Amino acid sequence: MKKKSLLKLFIFLLAFAMLAFVLGCGSTEEPVDTESGDDTEKSEAGDPDLEAENEADEKEVLLMGTNAGFIPFEFLNEDEEIDGFDIELAEEIASILGMELEVLDMDFGGLILAVKNGQIDIAVAGITITEERLESVNFSDPYYVAGQTIVVREDETGISGIEDLAGRLVGVQEGTTGDFECDDLIEEGLFKSEDVRRFPQVNEVFLALESGQVDAVIMDEPVANRYIEERGGMKTIGGVFTEEEFGIAIAKENKELLEQINAALKEIK
Ligand code: ARG
């Protein structure tokens, strides 16, 4: 009898130990199971992040660089998203090419080099096609015609053309055609180098004019008009004095993308 009950106890303890072991293993494995279970559940339930990720996985990414602050071509909207004509254009091109557009906000002065170095696939930022830039990158067919204009404060009476800028302080965005125009005027002897103030962002150029840090701004006309519309207190002088065409910058080696983008532009036009 005693032997039997000891055996029973032994079997009972063994069974208990085995059960504890199984449960123990189960509980350590459980989080892993739940995690993987969660994943399938999420994608099945249509988690938007995961879905976007999966789509991006399928589609090749078209990485675009821009400089948001050039209204109406690129700017940050109320949701702090990069928005504007250039983004819509690039979205359409990407959709025609069956690619997923990603947009990076960068300094304007660094865009051409970033394309050249392959950091980004394209730069779309109201970029004027110039001989100098064509030495570093290719450009798509032009998609917009613009030109530089002079902006002054509304109460300014002493400036009615380029010649009147002599001896005055002029603001431009660094690395833009407005900046290069100033270089030419410095070479021609109209400006002194120290009279030109260069700012990294368009917004800063207009702030400098508003606060009296500079007397005039040289800027792409459509952008100047939009800033004046939005902020008031400023006016343009004498219409446009350059003729420029905007193009999409693409690395020289990327011939196929250049052709695809030009074909897409034709389709969109
Ligand atoms: N069109 C001028 C240029 O090519 C100015 C462009 C500035 N663009 C910008 N997104 N800030 O130099």
Side-chain angles (χ1 to χ4, degrees):
M1 267 307 260
K2 219 184 173 193
K3 244 188 184 176
K4 258 189 187 171
S5 53
L6 262 179
L7 190 68
K8 262 189 198 165
L9 184 68
F10 179 67
I11 289 170
F12 175 75
L13 282 176
L14 191 71
F16 183 79
M18 276 168 76
L19 187 71
F21 179 70
V22 169
L23 282 180
C25 286
S27 70
T28 49
E29 265 169 19
E30 216 172 4
V32 183
D33 277 356
T34 337
E35 251 176 33
S36 57
D38 249 25
D39 267 358
T40 37
E41 219 174 83
K42 257 192 205 163
S43 44
E44 268 167 21
D47 182 286
D49 284 349
L50 267 172
E51 257 179 22
E53 229 172 72
N54 289 343
E55 252 175 51
D57 275 355
E58 285 159 25
K59 284 187 190 172
E60 207 186 318
V61 168
L62 182 64
L63 188 56
M64 157 183 164
T66 195
N67 174 243
F70 200 60
I71 317 170
F73 296 93
E74 43 266 336
F75 54 90
L76 295 180
N77 65 20
E78 307 95 51
D79 301 326
E80 295 286 299
E81 288 160 348
I82 308 173
D83 208 343
F85 181 88
D86 282 341
I87 286 77
E88 277 171 36
L89 180 69
E91 283 283 9
E92 236 175 282
I93 290 171
S95 113
I96 290 173
L97 302 191
M99 294 173 93
E100 180 84 22
L101 185 76
E102 263 183 40
V103 186
L104 267 186
D105 195 9
M106 314 172 64
D107 274 348
F108 184 80
L111 285 172
I112 296 289
L113 194 65
V115 169
K116 191 181 174 190
N117 293 345
Q119 267 169 274
I120 50 178
D121 300 315
I122 54 172
V124 197
I127 305 174
T128 303
I129 305 169
T130 67
E131 288 302 320
E132 205 193 7
R133 289 171 178 161
L134 277 166
E135 281 172 19
S136 311
V137 293
N138 276 332
F139 276 99
S140 71
D141 294 334
Y143 66 88
Y144 196 89
V145 177
Q148 300 298 305
T149 193
I150 302 169
V151 186
V152 294
R153 286 180 295 274
E154 214 159 38
D155 57 6
E156 174 66 57
T157 50
I159 299 172
S160 50
I162 284 278
E163 311 73 42
D164 301 324
L165 295 180
R168 309 292 297 268
L169 295 173
V170 179
V172 291
Q173 185 183 25
E174 216 163 43
T176 60
T177 43
D179 187 359
F180 305 152
E181 281 303 317
C182 288
D183 286 342
D184 291 348
L185 294 169
I186 290 167
E187 233 171 76
E188 285 168 27
L190 185 71
F191 286 178
K192 287 199 206 86
S193 169
E194 60 268 28
D195 290 344
V196 178
R197 299 283 147 86
R198 299 172 175 85
F199 300 88
Q201 305 296 340
V202 172
N203 188 43
E204 296 168 321
V205 183
F206 285 107
L207 276 175
L209 180 63
E210 286 169 332
S211 66
Q213 265 186 58
V214 298
D215 302 308
V217 158
I218 294 181
M219 181 67 55
D220 295 61
E221 192 203 34
V223 178
N225 287 336
R226 278 300 290 272
Y227 266 88
I228 294 170
E229 229 174 81
E230 283 190 10
R231 298 159 80 125
M234 300 178 276
K235 60 185 178 186
T236 58
I237 296 287
V240 295
F241 63 93
T242 62
E243 211 176 279
E244 303 180 24
E245 290 178 323
F246 294 171
I248 298 170
I250 306 154
K252 290 220 189 243
E253 311 81 68
N254 226 341
K255 293 252 160 58
E256 201 191 330
L257 185 62
L258 176 68
E259 278 164 25
Q260 288 174 323
I261 286 180
N262 278 337
L265 278 175
K266 275 203 191 91
E267 201 178 317
I268 293 164
K269 276 177 191 162

